Amino acid sequence: MPYVKTWQLIAVSAVAGLALSVAAVAAAGPWDSGQRKAERDRAASRGLAGGADHGGGRAGALSRGHRQGESEPQAAPSAPGVLPGIGPGAPRTTGSGVAAADSGQLAEALRPLLADPALGTVRTASVIDTATGRVLFESGAREAMTPASTTKIATAVAALSALGPEHRIRTTVTPGAGPGEIVLVGGGDPSLTARKKSPAGSGGSLLALAADTAQALKAAGTDSVRLGYDDTLFTGPARHPIGENPNIAPVTALAADEGRPDESTSGPVDRVEDPAKETARSFAALLGERGIKVTAEPAKAKAPAGAQPLATTLSTPLAGLVERMLTNSDNDIAEVLARQTALASGQPAGFEGAEKAVTARLAALGVDTAGARFADGSGLNRADRISTGLLAGLLAKAADPQRPELRPVLTGLPVAGFTGTLRSRNAGTSPAAGLVRAKTGTLTGVNSLAGTVVDSSGRLLAFAFLTANAPEPGAAEKGLDKLAAAVARAS
């Protein structure tokens, strides 16, 4: 095991302590909902002390430079909790009582790195002490720019604010309008799967739904049905404005396995043309295996108003969906969560309604949304606009002990050198390895990074860096990683 400095061990412990110190999250929180529980169990089975690895297998293949079959990373080190609970207005000191770093030292470290031409022609930055809300460094922090996938931070905050971390999304089967007809009704569950074992843990299961439906039909003396499917919960175009693209499926309220035709669980792959129809076909086959004959090809149908479900399956809790979305930069989950936010806010569940709902939810939290635009939930749309000040402010809100419902935004961020889209970045001997947790963002000419780090003084800092017009994406990513590492080294 490589040498790890004492303060790094303490810092890793501080991150864990921050999340675990909130009783509301510990009771229902993300580590017992789907992905995080699976990560914890996997880490324990490997006999490794410390942080869990949640990017293994195909789910981790989204990371640049790491593909299936390559060696997996080791778990991050842990140490006993040594820091007091983090609260507003509670400045931190080092163990010797020396005051934490001032903003001048941080600026001295960041300014030359921010001037790197590899970052492009426009670079903005913001660093905030989450405990005090003090801005430690900023450069163009109120300039709204195309954020790419760091948009998902805003989507996550809005969804959790609107629905809460324990919310589960229902997929149901109801009686149809005519005799001998049933309707599969989509509720917009992005964890719904037709596989025997859900890749998202305790997510919605077509197999369980088929078994319960078959049992209910047999109890009523029915062994053959016509199957309809209802995907009308979402409105507007199903295709993202970028068009057909392997990074995202058509956005529909009824989709199993994100419309993936293979065994992948994340990353780009060509999707089925009509996820709702394919899901209904899969459900029909599952009913047949359980003794219920489906007499015709599944067809679109509207579930009768007020119909009582014959069977129901529930999604992964929202906390788990948020974590999976952030860790793997899952565009499909992001667009669904934006629409779920719209539904909870009384808006139409399409791109326009989701934009209005997300904007309103963030504004209600007291963050400055001036100049911001959320044209989609995933960040694939270049019309999105977010400032580094807003991104860092949202991360600070997620760290607020008074808002435990937002904690999955922090726990879902990829860990530098270990998980998700940061698996191969700031890895190895980097001072940021295991300490920086951040959401990446990449479009052609756009590179971004926003997340948190515990500095050497024990402070939890939120940071955001946005760039535009970088000449080469690999060099831009390295430049962003150097900035994050500099924040981690602040002392």
Side-chain angles (χ1 to χ4, degrees):
M1 178 176 178
Y3 174 71
V4 181
K5 296 179 181 178
T6 301
W7 71 263
Q8 289 179 303
L9 294 173
I10 293 172
V12 173
S13 175
V15 175
L18 171 67
L20 295 173
S21 65
V22 184
V25 181
W31 14 159
D32 286 324
S33 62
Q35 185 187 16
R36 290 296 165 190
K37 183 176 184 295
E39 292 162 10
R40 181 189 62 199
D41 293 345
R42 181 172 175 228
S45 71
R46 291 165 61 192
L48 297 169
D53 167 24
H54 53 124
R58 289 297 301 265
L62 184 61
S63 170
R64 291 184 183 274
H66 188 93
R67 292 293 180 264
Q68 188 176 23
E70 295 183 9
S71 60
E72 296 182 351
Q74 296 299 301
S78 293
V82 295
L83 296 179
I86 298 174
R92 239 110 50 233
T93 62
T94 64
S96 61
V98 178
D102 60 30
S103 57
Q105 288 176 295
L106 188 59
E108 185 179 348
L110 294 181
R111 282 197 183 105
L113 296 175
L114 202 60
D116 184 354
L119 293 175
T121 60
V122 185
R123 320 85 182 259
T124 63
S126 180
V127 182
I128 298 174
D129 184 331
T130 64
T132 65
R134 180 187 175 199
V135 175
L136 301 179
F137 177 81
E138 62 180 16
S139 177
R142 280 162 288 283
E143 181 176 352
M145 298 174 60
T146 301
S149 277
T150 52
T151 299
K152 293 182 177 73
I153 292 172
T155 303
V157 171
L160 289 166
S161 176
L163 296 162
E166 298 178 53
H167 178 75
R168 289 179 182 250
I169 304 164
R170 294 174 178 269
T171 304
T172 62
V173 176
T174 71
E181 180 180 347
I182 61 173
V183 182
L184 174 63
V185 185
D189 173 12
S191 70
L192 186 66
T193 182
R195 300 170 184 171
K196 290 183 179 180
K197 185 175 182 181
S198 171
S202 56
S205 170
L206 275 186
L207 277 76
L209 188 63
D212 290 345
T213 300
Q215 183 177 22
L217 291 172
K218 289 176 181 178
T222 300
D223 61 5
S224 67
V225 295
R226 296 189 309 278
L227 175 63
Y229 62 94
D230 185 346
D231 63 349
T232 59
L233 184 64
F234 293 168
T235 61
R239 283 287 180 192
H240 190 280
I242 63 173
E244 188 172 343
N245 189 288
N247 287 295
I248 189 169
V251 186
T252 172
L254 180 63
D257 300 301
E258 300 182 337
R260 296 173 179 273
D262 58 10
E263 294 301 308
S264 66
T265 58
S266 68
V269 67
D270 290 335
R271 314 304 177 88
V272 300
E273 183 176 349
D274 188 340
K277 177 180 283 189
E278 291 302 320
T279 300
R281 286 173 173 167
S282 296
F283 188 67
L286 291 169
L287 286 176
E289 293 172 5
R290 287 153 181 79
I292 301 296
K293 182 180 179 181
V294 177
T295 59
E297 175 79 359
K300 283 197 173 187
K302 182 68 176 175
Q308 292 299 308
L310 297 172
T312 299
T313 187
L314 301 177
S315 74
T316 301
L318 188 65
L321 294 176
V322 164
E323 290 181 329
R324 185 180 173 196
M325 172 186 71
L326 294 173
T327 298
N328 293 328
S329 199
D330 193 304
N331 299 309
D332 301 286
I333 294 177
E335 296 302 342
V336 167
L337 292 190
R339 282 157 180 71
Q340 294 293 344
T341 303
L343 290 169
S345 304
Q347 295 285 348
F351 284 105
E352 292 183 5
E355 179 174 2
K356 292 177 181 177
V358 169
T359 303
R361 290 288 174 177
L362 299 186
L365 290 173
V367 294
D368 183 7
T369 59
R373 186 183 177 193
F374 305 97
D376 67 1
S378 62
L380 289 172
N381 196 326
R382 290 179 177 273
D384 290 328
R385 293 291 184 273
I386 302 180
S387 67
T388 54
L390 175 55
L391 283 171
L394 291 174
L395 292 164
K397 287 288 183 184
D400 185 348
Q402 302 304 311
R403 297 191 178 277
E405 73 278 6
L406 302 182
R407 198 70 72 245
V409 176
L410 301 188
T411 58
L413 293 172
V415 181
F418 290 93
T419 61
T421 56
L422 283 186
R423 177 183 290 251
S424 61
R425 293 176 58 174
N426 263 324
T429 59
S430 168
L435 298 180
V436 166
R437 305 189 70 128
K439 182 70 199 74
T440 58
T442 305
L443 293 171
T444 302
V446 175
N447 297 90
S448 56
L449 191 67
T452 63
V453 64
V454 177
D455 73 1
S456 57
S457 301
R459 296 177 303 175
L460 181 69
L461 308 183
F463 65 85
F465 303 109
L466 297 175
T467 72
N469 307 317
E472 200 281 310
E477 288 182 356
K478 290 180 181 178
L480 290 171
D481 292 344
K482 289 177 182 177
L483 286 163
V487 178
R489 285 195 303 265
S491 58

mmCIF file of all heavy atoms in Angstrom, residues 149-179:
data_model
loop_
_atom_site.group_PDB
_atom_site.id
_atom_site.type_symbol
_atom_site.label_atom_id
_atom_site.label_comp_id
_atom_site.label_asym_id
_atom_site.label_seq_id
_atom_site.Cartn_x
_atom_site.Cartn_y
_atom_site.Cartn_z
ATOM 1 N N SER A 149 -21.768 18.097 -17.871
ATOM 2 C CA SER A 149 -22.421 17.200 -16.919
ATOM 3 C C SER A 149 -22.420 17.665 -15.468
ATOM 4 O O SER A 149 -23.063 17.030 -14.627
ATOM 5 C CB SER A 149 -21.783 15.803 -16.988
ATOM 6 O OG SER A 149 -22.350 15.061 -18.036
ATOM 7 N N THR A 150 -21.724 18.748 -15.150
ATOM 8 C CA THR A 150 -21.861 19.272 -13.788
ATOM 9 C C THR A 150 -23.278 19.807 -13.562
ATOM 10 O O THR A 150 -23.669 20.053 -12.421
ATOM 11 C CB THR A 150 -20.831 20.375 -13.497
ATOM 12 O OG1 THR A 150 -20.895 21.376 -14.523
ATOM 13 C CG2 THR A 150 -19.423 19.801 -13.436
ATOM 14 N N THR A 151 -24.057 19.941 -14.633
ATOM 15 C CA THR A 151 -25.486 20.250 -14.511
ATOM 16 C C THR A 151 -26.192 19.251 -13.604
ATOM 17 O O THR A 151 -27.167 19.587 -12.920
ATOM 18 C CB THR A 151 -26.153 20.227 -15.907
ATOM 19 O OG1 THR A 151 -25.555 21.217 -16.725
ATOM 20 C CG2 THR A 151 -27.648 20.468 -15.822
ATOM 21 N N LYS A 152 -25.701 18.019 -13.598
ATOM 22 C CA LYS A 152 -26.351 16.974 -12.797
ATOM 23 C C LYS A 152 -26.358 17.301 -11.307
ATOM 24 O O LYS A 152 -27.188 16.777 -10.555
ATOM 25 C CB LYS A 152 -25.667 15.624 -13.052
ATOM 26 C CG LYS A 152 -25.856 15.096 -14.470
ATOM 27 C CD LYS A 152 -25.190 13.733 -14.632
ATOM 28 C CE LYS A 152 -25.437 13.146 -16.020
ATOM 29 N NZ LYS A 152 -24.673 13.808 -17.075
ATOM 30 N N ILE A 153 -25.426 18.122 -10.844
ATOM 31 C CA ILE A 153 -25.446 18.553 -9.439
ATOM 32 C C ILE A 153 -26.717 19.342 -9.169
ATOM 33 O O ILE A 153 -27.411 19.124 -8.163
ATOM 34 C CB ILE A 153 -24.194 19.387 -9.110
ATOM 35 C CG1 ILE A 153 -22.942 18.515 -9.160
ATOM 36 C CG2 ILE A 153 -24.331 20.057 -7.743
ATOM 37 C CD1 ILE A 153 -21.642 19.288 -9.031
ATOM 38 N N ALA A 154 -27.048 20.252 -10.074
ATOM 39 C CA ALA A 154 -28.272 21.039 -9.923
ATOM 40 C C ALA A 154 -29.507 20.146 -10.003
ATOM 41 O O ALA A 154 -30.461 20.303 -9.218
ATOM 42 C CB ALA A 154 -28.324 22.122 -10.989
ATOM 43 N N THR A 155 -29.508 19.202 -10.936
ATOM 44 C CA THR A 155 -30.633 18.275 -11.064
ATOM 45 C C THR A 155 -30.828 17.478 -9.781
ATOM 46 O O THR A 155 -31.957 17.306 -9.308
ATOM 47 C CB THR A 155 -30.393 17.318 -12.244
ATOM 48 O OG1 THR A 155 -30.205 18.080 -13.442
ATOM 49 C CG2 THR A 155 -31.548 16.363 -12.416
ATOM 50 N N ALA A 156 -29.730 17.011 -9.212
ATOM 51 C CA ALA A 156 -29.798 16.220 -7.987
ATOM 52 C C ALA A 156 -30.353 17.034 -6.822
ATOM 53 O O ALA A 156 -31.221 16.570 -6.073
ATOM 54 C CB ALA A 156 -28.412 15.677 -7.637
ATOM 55 N N VAL A 157 -29.842 18.245 -6.654
ATOM 56 C CA VAL A 157 -30.306 19.097 -5.558
ATOM 57 C C VAL A 157 -31.793 19.385 -5.704
ATOM 58 O O VAL A 157 -32.564 19.307 -4.736
ATOM 59 C CB VAL A 157 -29.497 20.406 -5.508
ATOM 60 C CG1 VAL A 157 -30.123 21.392 -4.525
ATOM 61 C CG2 VAL A 157 -28.051 20.128 -5.106
ATOM 62 N N ALA A 158 -32.226 19.723 -6.917
ATOM 63 C CA ALA A 158 -33.633 20.045 -7.142
ATOM 64 C C ALA A 158 -34.530 18.845 -6.862
ATOM 65 O O ALA A 158 -35.582 18.974 -6.211
ATOM 66 C CB ALA A 158 -33.833 20.532 -8.578
ATOM 67 N N ALA A 159 -34.144 17.665 -7.346
ATOM 68 C CA ALA A 159 -34.962 16.470 -7.154
ATOM 69 C C ALA A 159 -35.075 16.096 -5.679
ATOM 70 O O ALA A 159 -36.163 15.765 -5.179
ATOM 71 C CB ALA A 159 -34.388 15.307 -7.957
ATOM 72 N N LEU A 160 -33.953 16.123 -4.967
ATOM 73 C CA LEU A 160 -33.974 15.786 -3.542
ATOM 74 C C LEU A 160 -34.779 16.808 -2.749
ATOM 75 O O LEU A 160 -35.489 16.464 -1.806
ATOM 76 C CB LEU A 160 -32.547 15.701 -3.005
ATOM 77 C CG LEU A 160 -31.746 14.489 -3.475
ATOM 78 C CD1 LEU A 160 -30.267 14.685 -3.180
ATOM 79 C CD2 LEU A 160 -32.258 13.210 -2.811
ATOM 80 N N SER A 161 -34.668 18.075 -3.130
ATOM 81 C CA SER A 161 -35.430 19.117 -2.464
ATOM 82 C C SER A 161 -36.929 18.933 -2.686
ATOM 83 O O SER A 161 -37.740 19.141 -1.780
ATOM 84 C CB SER A 161 -34.990 20.490 -2.971
ATOM 85 O OG SER A 161 -35.766 21.526 -2.403
ATOM 86 N N ALA A 162 -37.298 18.505 -3.889
ATOM 87 C CA ALA A 162 -38.710 18.359 -4.228
ATOM 88 C C ALA A 162 -39.335 17.097 -3.654
ATOM 89 O O ALA A 162 -40.500 17.106 -3.250
ATOM 90 C CB ALA A 162 -38.866 18.356 -5.751
ATOM 91 N N LEU A 163 -38.570 16.002 -3.604
ATOM 92 C CA LEU A 163 -39.147 14.695 -3.301
ATOM 93 C C LEU A 163 -38.601 14.031 -2.043
ATOM 94 O O LEU A 163 -39.273 13.159 -1.479
ATOM 95 C CB LEU A 163 -38.926 13.759 -4.496
ATOM 96 C CG LEU A 163 -39.639 14.173 -5.784
ATOM 97 C CD1 LEU A 163 -39.028 13.464 -6.983
ATOM 98 C CD2 LEU A 163 -41.118 13.858 -5.680
ATOM 99 N N GLY A 164 -37.387 14.396 -1.626
ATOM 100 C CA GLY A 164 -36.791 13.759 -0.459
ATOM 101 C C GLY A 164 -36.051 12.487 -0.826
ATOM 102 O O GLY A 164 -36.358 11.832 -1.828
ATOM 103 N N PRO A 165 -35.050 12.097 -0.033
ATOM 104 C CA PRO A 165 -34.185 10.969 -0.385
ATOM 105 C C PRO A 165 -34.850 9.599 -0.334
ATOM 106 O O PRO A 165 -34.359 8.650 -0.924
ATOM 107 C CB PRO A 165 -33.050 11.063 0.648
ATOM 108 C CG PRO A 165 -33.655 11.786 1.810
ATOM 109 C CD PRO A 165 -34.612 12.769 1.206
ATOM 110 N N GLU A 166 -35.981 9.472 0.388
ATOM 111 C CA GLU A 166 -36.624 8.172 0.527
ATOM 112 C C GLU A 166 -37.690 7.902 -0.529
ATOM 113 O O GLU A 166 -38.255 6.810 -0.572
ATOM 114 C CB GLU A 166 -37.257 8.060 1.910
ATOM 115 C CG GLU A 166 -36.269 8.155 3.058
ATOM 116 C CD GLU A 166 -36.959 8.091 4.397
ATOM 117 O OE1 GLU A 166 -37.733 7.139 4.613
ATOM 118 O OE2 GLU A 166 -36.747 8.978 5.231
ATOM 119 N N HIS A 167 -37.968 8.879 -1.362
ATOM 120 C CA HIS A 167 -39.031 8.736 -2.353
ATOM 121 C C HIS A 167 -38.739 7.593 -3.315
ATOM 122 O O HIS A 167 -37.622 7.426 -3.790
ATOM 123 C CB HIS A 167 -39.171 10.039 -3.147
ATOM 124 C CG HIS A 167 -40.216 9.979 -4.217
ATOM 125 N ND1 HIS A 167 -41.566 10.031 -3.947
ATOM 126 C CD2 HIS A 167 -40.117 9.857 -5.575
ATOM 127 C CE1 HIS A 167 -42.243 9.955 -5.073
ATOM 128 N NE2 HIS A 167 -41.390 9.843 -6.080
ATOM 129 N N ARG A 168 -39.759 6.789 -3.588
ATOM 130 C CA ARG A 168 -39.652 5.704 -4.564
ATOM 131 C C ARG A 168 -40.699 5.903 -5.657
ATOM 132 O O ARG A 168 -41.814 6.339 -5.393
ATOM 133 C CB ARG A 168 -39.864 4.339 -3.896
ATOM 134 C CG ARG A 168 -38.702 3.906 -2.991
ATOM 135 C CD ARG A 168 -38.996 2.562 -2.347
ATOM 136 N NE ARG A 168 -37.954 2.125 -1.446
ATOM 137 C CZ ARG A 168 -37.138 1.104 -1.687
ATOM 138 N NH1 ARG A 168 -37.233 0.438 -2.808
ATOM 139 N NH2 ARG A 168 -36.219 0.757 -0.813
ATOM 140 N N ILE A 169 -40.339 5.539 -6.872
ATOM 141 C CA ILE A 169 -41.197 5.723 -8.036
ATOM 142 C C ILE A 169 -41.892 4.403 -8.355
ATOM 143 O O ILE A 169 -41.267 3.348 -8.391
ATOM 144 C CB ILE A 169 -40.356 6.200 -9.237
ATOM 145 C CG1 ILE A 169 -39.602 7.490 -8.876
ATOM 146 C CG2 ILE A 169 -41.235 6.424 -10.457
ATOM 147 C CD1 ILE A 169 -38.471 7.816 -9.831
ATOM 148 N N ARG A 170 -43.197 4.473 -8.622
ATOM 149 C CA ARG A 170 -44.004 3.276 -8.827
ATOM 150 C C ARG A 170 -44.161 2.930 -10.303
ATOM 151 O O ARG A 170 -44.415 3.804 -11.126
ATOM 152 C CB ARG A 170 -45.405 3.468 -8.227
ATOM 153 C CG ARG A 170 -45.416 3.607 -6.713
ATOM 154 C CD ARG A 170 -46.823 3.928 -6.217
ATOM 155 N NE ARG A 170 -46.837 4.022 -4.770
ATOM 156 C CZ ARG A 170 -47.087 3.018 -3.952
ATOM 157 N NH1 ARG A 170 -47.387 1.822 -4.457
ATOM 158 N NH2 ARG A 170 -47.069 3.172 -2.640
ATOM 159 N N THR A 171 -44.043 1.653 -10.608
ATOM 160 C CA THR A 171 -44.488 1.090 -11.875
ATOM 161 C C THR A 171 -45.598 0.122 -11.521
ATOM 162 O O THR A 171 -45.429 -0.728 -10.636
ATOM 163 C CB THR A 171 -43.357 0.348 -12.600
ATOM 164 O OG1 THR A 171 -42.242 1.233 -12.784
ATOM 165 C CG2 THR A 171 -43.827 -0.163 -13.954
ATOM 166 N N THR A 172 -46.764 0.246 -12.180
ATOM 167 C CA THR A 172 -47.926 -0.542 -11.768
ATOM 168 C C THR A 172 -48.547 -1.288 -12.938
ATOM 169 O O THR A 172 -48.295 -0.990 -14.107
ATOM 170 C CB THR A 172 -49.007 0.358 -11.131
ATOM 171 O OG1 THR A 172 -49.449 1.317 -12.116
ATOM 172 C CG2 THR A 172 -48.461 1.097 -9.929
ATOM 173 N N VAL A 173 -49.373 -2.256 -12.599
ATOM 174 C CA VAL A 173 -50.244 -2.935 -13.555
ATOM 175 C C VAL A 173 -51.670 -2.742 -13.054
ATOM 176 O O VAL A 173 -51.964 -3.026 -11.889
ATOM 177 C CB VAL A 173 -49.906 -4.428 -13.671
ATOM 178 C CG1 VAL A 173 -50.905 -5.133 -14.599
ATOM 179 C CG2 VAL A 173 -48.495 -4.623 -14.185
ATOM 180 N N THR A 174 -52.540 -2.231 -13.931
ATOM 181 C CA THR A 174 -53.932 -2.000 -13.556
ATOM 182 C C THR A 174 -54.855 -2.750 -14.511
ATOM 183 O O THR A 174 -54.447 -3.146 -15.615
ATOM 184 C CB THR A 174 -54.289 -0.498 -13.617
ATOM 185 O OG1 THR A 174 -54.334 -0.078 -14.997
ATOM 186 C CG2 THR A 174 -53.274 0.341 -12.863
ATOM 187 N N PRO A 175 -56.122 -2.948 -14.121
ATOM 188 C CA PRO A 175 -57.099 -3.456 -15.090
ATOM 189 C C PRO A 175 -57.249 -2.465 -16.236
ATOM 190 O O PRO A 175 -57.098 -1.253 -16.059
ATOM 191 C CB PRO A 175 -58.389 -3.545 -14.269
ATOM 192 C CG PRO A 175 -57.942 -3.583 -12.838
ATOM 193 C CD PRO A 175 -56.702 -2.760 -12.780
ATOM 194 N N GLY A 176 -57.521 -2.948 -17.434
ATOM 195 C CA GLY A 176 -57.719 -2.073 -18.580
ATOM 196 C C GLY A 176 -59.147 -1.589 -18.699
ATOM 197 O O GLY A 176 -59.994 -1.865 -17.833
ATOM 198 N N ALA A 177 -59.427 -0.907 -19.790
ATOM 199 C CA ALA A 177 -60.765 -0.357 -19.990
ATOM 200 C C ALA A 177 -61.783 -1.437 -20.333
ATOM 201 O O ALA A 177 -62.981 -1.274 -20.073
ATOM 202 C CB ALA A 177 -60.730 0.691 -21.096
ATOM 203 N N GLY A 178 -61.336 -2.540 -20.923
ATOM 204 C CA GLY A 178 -62.251 -3.610 -21.305
ATOM 205 C C GLY A 178 -61.953 -4.900 -20.572
ATOM 206 O O GLY A 178 -60.913 -5.046 -19.923
ATOM 207 N N PRO A 179 -62.877 -5.869 -20.673
ATOM 208 C CA PRO A 179 -62.655 -7.163 -20.011
ATOM 209 C C PRO A 179 -61.454 -7.889 -20.605
ATOM 210 O O PRO A 179 -61.191 -7.820 -21.802
ATOM 211 C CB PRO A 179 -63.957 -7.914 -20.289
ATOM 212 C CG PRO A 179 -64.545 -7.246 -21.497
ATOM 213 C CD PRO A 179 -64.139 -5.829 -21.414
#
